[in-house]
Amino acid sequence: MTTTRKRGALACAALLASAAMAEAQATSLPKPAPEMAALAPFEGDWKCEGAMPAGPMGPGGKTTGSVQSKTGLGGFWQVGKVTSTMPGMPTMEGTFHTTYDPVAKRYVMLWVDNMGGWAQIGSAGWEGDAMTYSGETFMSGQKMTTRDVFTKAADGSFKHKAEMQMDGKWVTMGEETCRRAP
């Protein structure tokens, strides 16, 4: 075999090997980010009690609610449903999907509710026992900056504080404690 033929055969073999590797990579399924494991404390069914102060979001009062949260969509998302009631107000229902974005190195939560509200908020992750999500939210026809702080308690419960920014200051929209449902 001539040198030119040998080079051609080697080039062809290298091209076939490269094509085989590309096909193997294309057919292998992506895996959820390992950071998704950090959302495990939110898994399960929860009962919540709290209060909403009177203010721009309504008259205020005691709140009760529930949260169902689980890993879904192949492990790429944590999905959940939230309901909350307050005397004299319609029941609020919402759904969320949370994932980890490895490019931005942040958790991303998508939220929609039965009052026309929606949000795309993000978090850097746990800082001690607290995880804070913040970003732009649309409620009652208004765009606002909001944050939700979830703090783990020693007894396994969570404290949740929802805030919005008004005139450069954080204003509490509601606070609640959520415990695992029996």
Side-chain angles (χ1 to χ4, degrees), residues 84-108:
S84 183
T85 61
M86 187 171 64
M89 297 294 289
T91 298
M92 188 283 302
E93 296 178 12
T95 59
F96 64 87
H97 288 73
T98 306
T99 193
Y100 184 78
D101 180 346
V103 175
K105 298 190 182 330
R106 292 180 60 77
Y107 292 90
V108 176

Side-chain angles (χ1 to χ4, degrees), residues 21 23 27 44 73 99 103 126 133 135 147-148 152 155 167-168:
M21 285 177 52
E23 183 177 337
T27 58
L73 300 171
T99 193
V103 175
W126 291 104
Y133 285 88
R147 70 180 174 197
D148 288 271
K152 294 187 274 188
D155 66 359
D167 299 323

Side-chain angles (χ1 to χ4, degrees), residues 13 24 46 51 54 65-66 79 84 89 99 117 120-121 125-126 131 135-136 138 143 146 152-153 155-156 167 170:
W46 302 84
S66 65
V79 298
S84 183
M89 297 294 289
T99 193
Q120 179 177 329
I121 55 180
W126 291 104
M131 183 178 269
E136 291 186 344
F138 297 82
K143 177 180 173 181
T146 62
K152 294 187 274 188
D155 66 359
D167 299 323
W170 289 105

